[in-house]
């Protein structure tokens, strides 16, 4: 595809339920990132994948958050036992490599609302 | 700790007026610096980036930014604002030795008066 795609675009869930968010990166991009954007705030780094290397999970806020990536393609971010503070827009980005000079291209995001 | 500060949460300018959005960073070495724009309902789009060399960088949509090491700043400018520039603007730092993950400021929301 032409850009990074994410699904669903919106997700409303009840507190305590699990949710799964999907990201399709740009074809050929080896690096993939997840960020969280709370209302009125900047983006917070969550996790990134680079090729076959172990992911950098240093930004995950709790063990309720996990992410997987299949090769250099789709990634899913899973939030277990959702809490109201998990309400945010979750953004995915991909880049050719994971060097600091590689431009990250962002998807439109998934807006998660936890009731 | 590495951080990015955008002191202005919200700025309003008149169409045709000049614009400067402020960004200050805290980092131990020369960072990679970025400005992104986020329009309503859309993902972030890269406006410009600085890695090294000429400290004045040109970006898309007529934007430019100047890296000032002595002030730890990377302010975004545009000489004449258009109504379509109304959006949220984010400054970000990309630390060299931590992969490509970015540290973002809290953003500045730009409103444009007709």
């Amino acid at each position: 595809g032409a850009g990074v795609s994410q699904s669903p675009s919106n997700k409303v869930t009840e507190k305590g339920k699990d949710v799964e968010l999907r990201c399709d990166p740009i074809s050929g991009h080896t690096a993939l990132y997840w960020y969280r954007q709370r209302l009125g705030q900047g983006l917070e780094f969550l996790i990134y994948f680079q090729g076959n290397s172990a992911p950098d999970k240093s930004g995950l806020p709790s063990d309720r958050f996990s992410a997987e990536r299949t090769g250099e393609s789709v990634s899913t971010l899973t939030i277990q036992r959702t809490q109201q503070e998990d309400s945010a827009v979750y953004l995915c980005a991909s880049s050719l490599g994971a060097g600091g000079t590689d431009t990250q291209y962002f998807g439109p995001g998934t807006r998660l609302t936890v009731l | 700790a590495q951080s990015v500060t955008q002191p202005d949460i919200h700025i309003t300018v008149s169409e045709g007026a000049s614009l400067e959005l402020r960004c200050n960073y805290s980092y131990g070495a020369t960072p990679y610096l970025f400005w992104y724009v986020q329009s309503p309902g859309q993902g972030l789009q890269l406006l410009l980036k600085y890695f090294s060399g000429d400290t004045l960088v040109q970006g898309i949509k007529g934007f430019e930014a100047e890296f000032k090491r002595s002030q730890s700043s990377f302010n975004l400018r545009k000489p004449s604002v258009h109504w379509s520039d109304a959006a949220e603007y984010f400054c970000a730092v990309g630390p060299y030795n931590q992969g490509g993950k970015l540290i973002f400021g809290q953003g500045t929301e730009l409103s444009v008066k007709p």
Side-chain angles (χ1 to χ4, degrees), chain A:
Chain A
V4 178
S5 60
Q6 294 185 246
S7 60
S9 55
N10 280 285
K11 176 72 176 179
V12 180
T13 190
E14 294 179 348
K15 178 180 173 181
K17 302 276 190 180
D18 298 351
V19 296
E20 198 171 271
L21 313 180
R22 176 186 170 107
C23 172
D24 282 271
I26 294 172
S27 177
H29 281 193
T30 64
L32 186 147
Y33 305 80
W34 284 98
Y35 294 88
R36 176 172 71 178
Q37 184 178 22
R38 288 181 162 143
L39 186 64
Q41 299 192 19
L43 282 71
E44 305 169 70
F45 165 78
L46 296 177
I47 185 170
Y48 96 89
F49 300 86
Q50 166 59 29
N52 294 319
S53 302
D56 178 348
K57 305 179 181 180
S58 60
L60 294 179
S62 78
D63 59 7
R64 296 187 295 105
F65 288 72
S66 63
E68 293 184 348
R69 187 181 186 193
T70 307
E72 293 185 352
S73 61
V74 171
S75 175
T76 55
L77 177 69
T78 301
I79 308 173
Q80 296 179 310
R81 305 181 301 282
T82 52
Q83 304 294 313
Q84 288 183 332
E85 64 261 27
D86 299 334
S87 295
V89 176
Y90 290 82
L91 290 159
C92 174
S94 70
S95 61
L96 271 175
T101 58
D102 290 300
T103 297
Q104 292 183 30
Y105 296 87
F106 284 80
T110 293
R111 181 176 299 278
L112 174 65
T113 302
V114 182
L115 301 177

Side-chain angles (χ1 to χ4, degrees), chain A residues 33 35 37 40-45 48 56 58-59 89 91 98-109, chain B residues 32 34 36 38 41-46 49 51 88 90 94-96 98-107:
Chain A
Y33 305 80
Y35 294 88
Q37 184 178 22
Q41 299 192 19
L43 282 71
E44 305 169 70
F45 165 78
Y48 96 89
D56 178 348
S58 60
V89 176
L91 290 159
T101 58
D102 290 300
T103 297
Q104 292 183 30
Y105 296 87
F106 284 80
Chain B
Y32 298 150
F34 307 80
Y36 281 86
Q38 185 178 38
Q42 298 190 22
L44 276 74
Q45 181 182 21
L46 180 68
K49 57 190 176 184
F51 298 146
E88 185 116 29
F90 292 94
Y96 174 75
Q98 296 183 27
K101 64 186 181 185
L102 299 176
I103 299 170
F104 283 84
Q106 291 199 315

Side-chain angles (χ1 to χ4, degrees), chain B residues 24 33 37 57 63 66-67 81 88 96 105-106 112-114:
Chain B
N24 293 96
L33 294 158
V37 60
V57 293
F63 286 93
E66 186 171 12
F67 170 59
V81 169
E88 185 116 29
Y96 174 75
Q106 291 199 315
V112 180
K113 292 190 300 185

